[in-house]
């Protein structure tokens, strides 16, 4: 089984991919995590069959939904989320041993990591230039290239075997210590959807008229289904229209769930099943 992730090695997506492989019970005799440069490449690898699945972050407890990945899942043909993983995110500063924080001139990391550590950076390294990279792993690679010690990176606490004299800060530097990211394991083909689930994830576009969103929510509420997530994204090329991504506590195999989705399709302009899985917490 091959799982694609946003690389390089050491990123949180890499850690999630490894955990998905550890949980794999399909009898596969070999496992491999394959890094890609960005999320579109990760998704394309699943669609083209180069890999069996992909680990995609979908929501962070501090910053909400990962908009790019919501859009990618919406536009992808035949991809379904089949497992969920909730990963604790603990950020550390990787820097050259013996270098004072005041001497650091550049800090590399993914945009979300930089945002999640904003207070620490402002307090401890206020004059450093913040350099956005495609992942925390790429940020670490950039910092390691600079042997002068003027560069640092924000990485996960799980990073091991740093070289070139770099070390990790002893404490978590995140502004919020209870920080979690929800990952989905995405596969191609409806046959990979589990026979039973505790959650269903779908998207819907309401008619552009008063009360249409209320009607959609009423369908869920009237069936006494607990909605665990809702997020809106603009519909491309249709200014003023929005797509709602909804996760709810229900079982994909239950007839009541199928009836719910059927009613949603009748009441909305578009409806797409994105996945079904057991709750990650």
């Amino acid at each position: 089984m091959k799982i694609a992730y946003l690389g390089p090695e050491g990123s949180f997506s890499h850690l999630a991919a490894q955990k998905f492989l550890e949980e794999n019970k399909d009898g596969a005799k070999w496992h491999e995590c394959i890094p890609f440069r960005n999320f579109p490449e990760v998704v394309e690898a699943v669609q083209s069959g180069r890999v069996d699945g992909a680990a995609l972050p979908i929501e962070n407890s501090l910053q909400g939904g990962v908009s790019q990945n919501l859009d990618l899942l919406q536009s992808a043909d035949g991809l379904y989320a089949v497992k969920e993983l909730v990963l604790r995110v603990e950020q550390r500063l990787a820097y050259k041993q013996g270098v004072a924080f005041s001497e650091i001139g550049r800090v590399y990391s993914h945009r979300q990591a930089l945002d999640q550590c904003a207070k620490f950076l402002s307090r401890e390294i206020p004059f450093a230039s913040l350099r956005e990279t495609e992942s925390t792993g790429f940020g670490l690679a950039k910092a390691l290239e600079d042997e002068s010690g003027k560069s640092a990176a924000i990485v996960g606490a799980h990073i091991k075997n740093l070289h070139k004299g770099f070390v990790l800060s002893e404490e978590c530097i995140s502004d919020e210590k209870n920080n979690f990211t929800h990952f989905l394991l995405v596969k191609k083909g409806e046959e990979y959807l589990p026979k039973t689930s505790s959650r269903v994830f779908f998207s819907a576009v309401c008619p552009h008229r008063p009360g249409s969103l209320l009607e959609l929510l009423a369908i869920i509420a009237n069936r006494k289904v607990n909605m665990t997530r809702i997020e809106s994204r603009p519909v491309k090329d249709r200014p003023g229209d929005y797509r709602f991504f909804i996760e709810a506590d229900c079982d994909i195999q239950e007839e009541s769930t199928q009836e719910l989705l059927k009613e949603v399709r009748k009441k909305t302009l578009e409806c797409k099943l994105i996945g079904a899985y057991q709750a990650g917490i």
Side-chain angles (χ1 to χ4, degrees), residues 59-183:
E59 183 185 59
N60 179 264
S61 59
L62 300 184
Q63 296 176 302
V66 182
S67 300
Q68 182 183 28
N69 289 343
L70 289 174
D71 292 343
L72 286 170
L73 287 176
Q74 176 61 39
S75 61
D77 184 27
L79 296 193
Y80 296 93
V82 299
K83 287 185 180 180
E84 182 186 42
L85 170 70
V86 180
L87 191 66
R88 186 183 183 92
V89 175
E90 186 176 345
Q91 314 276 17
R92 300 290 179 92
L93 187 72
Y95 64 102
K96 196 157 189 179
Q97 190 170 27
V99 173
F101 287 170
S102 60
E103 298 178 82
I104 296 173
R106 291 168 296 277
V107 178
Y108 295 94
S109 200
H110 188 273
R111 179 75 263 163
Q112 286 201 337
L114 293 171
D115 290 343
Q116 290 165 13
C117 302
K119 291 181 182 178
F120 170 86
L121 294 172
S122 178
R123 181 181 68 250
E124 302 291 343
I125 321 176
F127 302 110
S129 173
L130 306 183
R131 306 291 180 88
E132 182 177 350
T133 57
E134 291 181 314
S135 73
T136 55
F138 279 122
L140 177 59
K142 291 293 292 183
L144 291 174
E145 289 175 1
D146 182 4
E147 298 185 21
S148 71
K150 300 297 183 181
S151 295
I154 297 174
V155 299
H158 62 280
I159 294 295
K160 301 185 184 303
N161 300 321
L162 288 174
H163 57 285
K164 296 186 178 181
F166 276 69
V167 294
L168 292 183
S169 60
E170 294 184 2
E171 302 293 334
C172 173
I173 65 170
S174 303
D175 297 340
E176 173 56 57
K177 307 309 178 188
N178 290 319
N179 184 8
F180 298 87
T181 295
H182 292 241
F183 284 84

Side-chain angles (χ1 to χ4, degrees), residues 23-70:
E23 296 174 359
N24 181 53
K25 298 180 177 64
D26 64 2
K29 295 182 180 179
W30 52 272
H31 303 306
E32 187 177 1
C33 298
I34 301 179
F36 290 86
R37 294 178 301 175
N38 52 56
F39 288 124
E41 287 188 2
V42 168
V43 171
E44 192 280 330
V46 184
Q47 288 199 288
S48 66
R50 294 173 62 190
V51 297
D52 302 288
L56 286 180
I58 202 69
E59 183 185 59
N60 179 264
S61 59
L62 300 184
Q63 296 176 302
V66 182
S67 300
Q68 182 183 28
N69 289 343
L70 289 174

